[in-house]
Amino acid sequence: QVQLVESGGGLVQAGGSLRLSCAASGRTFSYYAMGWFRQAPGKEREFVAAISWNGGSTYYADSVKGRFTISRDNAKKMVYLEMNSLKPEDTAVYYCAAADNVRSGTIKRGSEYPYWGQGTQVTVSS
């Protein structure tokens, strides 16, 4: 099992940058694929980015491709989401999630992730 705690959210102007961090606990962190999801007020949760257990593969939503970068440090049990060129529509609560035994074809599905953090608010002002 793994516990997740996000940090790094905040208020930023459009065009700015933020780096989200997700700290994991548990001995088997390196076995898990990790994902970032977000949920804006009145909207459904949506996939943002994911990374395979060894960092060898990354996946992005079309809306963030080229602006966001996901990375991980298994030795530190950390996952990061570097967000650049932020837009007001990126405003949401961002969640870190962990999944084991997930295939590339379903890694973007929130239902594949049994472990979730509490979320961190990102607000982008225009």
Side-chain angles (χ1 to χ4, degrees), residues 8-78:
L11 174 63
V12 64
Q13 288 188 332
S17 299
L18 279 175
R19 187 195 197 201
L20 303 184
S21 298
C22 174
S25 62
R27 293 180 296 174
T28 58
F29 170 76
S30 60
Y31 297 167
Y32 291 88
M34 300 297 296
W36 286 96
F37 294 77
R38 66 187 182 187
Q39 188 167 20
K43 295 187 177 181
E44 293 187 353
R45 183 183 62 196
E46 64 174 356
F47 169 78
V48 176
I51 188 167
S52 60
W53 67 274
N54 63 353
S57 298
T58 56
Y59 309 82
Y60 296 95
D62 289 342
S63 59
V64 306
K65 203 171 293 182
R67 299 189 298 123
F68 291 11
T69 302
I70 188 172
S71 61
R72 67 187 296 162
D73 185 333
N74 284 348
K76 295 182 179 178
K77 298 183 180 179
M78 296 291 295

Side-chain angles (χ1 to χ4, degrees), residues 1 54 88 106 117:
Q1 202 168 15
N54 63 353
T106 57

